[in-house]
Amino acid sequence: MSRYLYLVRHGEQQDAEHGLPDGPLSPRGVRQATLLAERLGGVPFDGAWTSPLQRAQETARIMTARMPAIEPEPSALLMDCIPSGPTSDMPHAFESFFGGVTEEEIEAGEAQMADAVSEWLTPSREDRHELLITHNFVIAWFVREVFGAAPWRWMGVNQANAGLTIIRVRSAKPPVLITHNDLGHLPTELRTGLPVEQPY
């Protein structure tokens, strides 16, 4: 039996370039979410979960409006977070990222992602398709977990707005990454959210 996780980053946020912590989707973000919903319309989803933040919840509403069989449920396990802190084996180039991050934020993120992995990266007794609408760092942590990579390796794993990552969780074998940051449903002008240049 397989459990399929469809990990989606929220659509582009209105005025995201101004550094606002949360807010509604931009018109472009609405279009991104609509096109992704059209792409996934034929998937037999068993459930949908979303980060409680506004940009993710609005993305979830747009997507599930086209999927009448499911209702998105907010989950604190999908909240935007810092999944882990600096480690001794982490390249020095990444250190500046943690300049404004507190120990409390790191501890909260580590605990959250440990619970999220326990919740969703465990095998199911039946075939399931689950939609998770969340944030860049959360998706990066799931991808890192699939590969069993060092804790710091979530850094530099980026997903665009309304990008699609699919993970297959199997009963007797390790989980596998089917696709990461698939943007085939978005025309070039709607592909946003990836750093032009890595800040670290």
Side-chain angles (χ1 to χ4, degrees), residues 15-16 21 26 40 49 63 71 84 89-90 93 95 101 105 116 124 129 138 156-157 171 198:
D15 298 325
S26 68
L40 296 178
W49 290 264
M63 292 187 66
E71 183 73 26
S84 73
D89 61 334
M90 184 186 76
E95 289 175 357
V101 179
E105 288 175 309
S124 171
H129 296 265
V138 173
V157 178
S171 298
Q198 291 289 356

Side-chain angles (χ1 to χ4, degrees), residues 62-85:
I62 292 168
M63 292 187 66
T64 57
R66 294 170 175 266
M67 305 170 186
I70 56 172
E71 183 73 26
E73 300 177 36
S75 172
L77 299 182
L78 298 176
M79 191 80 153
D80 203 7
C81 71
I82 305 295
S84 73

Side-chain angles (χ1 to χ4, degrees), residues 26-152:
S26 68
R28 188 158 53 181
V30 170
R31 184 72 180 134
Q32 290 166 343
T34 302
L35 288 172
L36 182 53
E38 290 173 1
R39 177 176 180 180
L40 296 178
V43 177
F45 285 114
D46 296 286
W49 290 264
T50 177
S51 159
L53 293 179
Q54 183 179 359
R55 59 191 185 272
Q57 289 205 325
E58 187 173 340
T59 302
R61 282 195 300 272
I62 292 168
M63 292 187 66
T64 57
R66 294 170 175 266
M67 305 170 186
I70 56 172
E71 183 73 26
E73 300 177 36
S75 172
L77 299 182
L78 298 176
M79 191 80 153
D80 203 7
C81 71
I82 305 295
S84 73
T87 56
S88 59
D89 61 334
M90 184 186 76
H92 294 301
F94 290 92
E95 289 175 357
S96 61
F97 172 84
F98 293 100
V101 179
T102 66
E103 284 295 325
E104 290 75 18
E105 288 175 309
I106 292 170
E107 289 175 7
E110 288 174 341
Q112 174 188 319
M113 292 316 301
D115 288 345
V117 165
S118 295
E119 179 71 23
W120 283 294
L121 278 185
T122 54
S124 171
R125 297 187 181 190
E126 58 186 6
D127 286 340
R128 289 185 60 82
H129 296 265
E130 299 172 327
L131 177 62
L132 308 181
I133 299 162
T134 182
H135 305 275
N136 191 26
F137 293 167
V138 173
I139 295 169
W141 186 262
F142 273 102
V143 171
R144 182 219 63 81
E145 186 73 22
V146 166
F147 290 117
W152 62 269

